[in-house]
Amino acid sequence: MRFYAARFGEDVELWGCTALLHDFDYEIHPTLDEHPQEGASILRDEGYPEEVIEAVLSHAEHLELPRDTPLKKTLFACDELSGFVHACALVRPTGLEGLEPKSVRKKLEQPSFAAGVHRDAVYAGAELLGIGLDEHIANVVAALRPIAKELGIE
Ligand SMILES: [Fe+2]
């Protein structure tokens, strides 16, 4: 999210915080009748900007809210794919180094690999961003590379 915020000339801290917060309530609200709606209430009580709260709410597919801002679009587009790219890196001896969009796409076509990742959301996310899937994958890989050590995929 920070990568895309910088690329789009948006607020890097705000976008980074939104990404960090979007699932913050998942452990206390693990079911879709509460997540992320109840979490959004907590954020509202804490005085978080409405822009952040609306983006958090819009990442949830079951709420079917419009993703009508660059922040909402990008959060949705990065959510599943960043986890998937992480999983791809974990099973490679060189991690993110040399990880090509082509091989990520191949893994996406294997339903048993990282089965919890919703493929449809990955494809829809790239479309929502208005870029090709390969470009989106390459961006996510490039964004994660500088923080590979923190992610445990160095
Ligand atoms: Fe979530």
Side-chain angles (χ1 to χ4, degrees):
M1 286 297 282
R2 296 174 65 92
F3 173 99
Y4 272 119
R7 172 158 297 195
F8 298 153
E10 300 279 352
D11 186 332
V12 172
E13 291 304 323
L14 186 96
W15 282 40
C17 286
T18 305
L20 201 59
L21 287 168
H22 84 284
D23 269 341
F24 89 97
D25 71 322
Y26 195 69
E27 285 181 16
I28 47 171
H29 304 133
T31 56
L32 295 182
D33 59 322
E34 293 185 324
H35 169 77
Q37 306 87 288
E38 298 299 317
S41 300
I42 296 172
L43 295 178
R44 207 163 265 137
D45 290 345
E46 294 288 329
Y48 280 86
E50 199 56 29
E51 188 185 359
V52 171
I53 297 164
E54 274 186 30
V56 166
L57 284 168
S58 75
H59 93 272
E61 297 196 71
H62 64 284
L63 298 179
E64 295 178 7
L65 294 167
R67 300 191 182 102
D68 51 6
T69 66
L71 177 60
K72 292 178 191 176
K73 289 178 208 258
T74 312
L75 180 64
F76 180 75
C78 294
D79 192 3
E80 296 292 276
L81 186 57
S82 55
F84 191 80
V85 165
H86 192 164
C88 290
L90 281 175
V91 298
R92 301 177 74 246
T94 55
L96 289 167
E97 281 318 308
L99 177 57
E100 298 290 340
K102 193 180 154 196
S103 60
V104 174
R105 259 195 290 115
K106 245 181 163 170
K107 290 266 190 234
L108 282 167
E109 287 160 18
Q110 296 171 18
S112 61
F113 181 80
V117 173
H118 299 157
R119 269 54 175 181
D120 290 350
V122 171
Y123 302 129
E127 223 179 293
L128 199 58
L129 279 185
I131 61 175
L133 181 59
D134 280 3
E135 190 183 345
H136 186 32
I137 292 169
N139 286 342
V140 169
V141 171
L144 297 184
R145 201 169 278 141
I147 55 165
K149 194 176 177 182
E150 289 138 276
L151 297 171
I153 47 176
E154 202 179 36

